[in-house]
Amino acid sequence: MLVEFASAVDAARCAVEVQRGVAVQNVGVPLNVRIEFRIGIHVGDIIFDDNDIFGDGVNIAARLEGIAEPGGICVSDDAQRQIRGKLDSPPFEDMGPQNLKNIAEPMRAWRLSVDAKSSAYLSGDRSAETAQPLALPDKPSIAVLPFQNMSSDPEQEYFADGTVEDIITALSRYPSLFVIARNSSFTYKG
């Protein structure tokens, strides 16, 4: 499956939730009949053409998926920089530079394994004893709140939401800022 997201953080959150859900479903299932996915995430330019997506960004994500462990997530260094500190999950492990098929230069990759033990960590049902308070970021934080549709045209709602997502994505490219993810800021919508 190929899925495009406006934000690397949203892509990673989705990947973690998918892998967590699969890990929970696999508890007690014999190894030979388990369904396990590999997920690759990369930030890059893509080309749209008649309901198809292609380009270097797609190729790199596919190669990262190929080196991910079953039940795991593999992200590029570019994606990891945007995700770092913005995901309620165990930290990604550095895999170092990886030689990927049909990619000219080695690419640094990061992995996250999601299994039954980490699914307990990733679920929202953590006990107060295991939950650690989030550390405050050591850089300025910014949140882009949803825009209000001031027109009478309900179709403009999508335009307003898309504009906010584009601003969040653009700000996340600045390593000197801690950008609050769309899912968090959109809880204030309305």
Side-chain angles (χ1 to χ4, degrees), residues 4 11 17 40 49 59 78 81 107 125 132 144 176 186:
E4 178 234 351
E17 279 300 311
D49 183 37
N59 294 339
D78 294 335
R81 269 193 296 275
M107 176 168 284
D125 303 330
Q132 299 295 320
V144 181
S176 61
F186 269 57

Side-chain angles (χ1 to χ4, degrees), residues 69-170:
E69 299 170 358
I73 303 165
C74 186
V75 302
S76 67
D77 198 42
D78 294 335
Q80 196 274 343
R81 269 193 296 275
Q82 292 187 23
I83 297 166
R84 184 177 35 221
K86 298 175 185 168
L87 200 62
D88 183 23
S89 73
F92 282 85
E93 298 173 37
D94 189 353
M95 296 173 68
Q98 299 290 310
N99 292 315
L100 304 175
K101 182 179 174 186
N102 295 332
I103 306 299
E105 296 179 24
M107 176 168 284
R108 187 173 178 192
W110 299 77
R111 73 172 155 224
L112 175 64
S113 296
V114 181
D115 55 20
K117 287 180 267 181
S118 61
S119 68
Y121 175 86
L122 295 169
S123 74
D125 303 330
R126 289 180 285 166
S127 69
E129 296 168 4
T130 59
Q132 299 295 320
L134 294 176
L136 293 175
D138 58 349
K139 50 191 169 185
S141 299
I142 187 166
V144 181
L145 297 177
F147 293 160
Q148 184 177 1
N149 180 7
M150 303 288 286
S151 75
S152 59
D153 183 6
E155 291 293 317
Q156 295 300 316
E157 191 76 25
Y158 297 110
F159 177 73
D161 290 349
T163 302
V164 171
E165 289 180 16
D166 288 347
I167 293 170
I168 290 170
T169 302

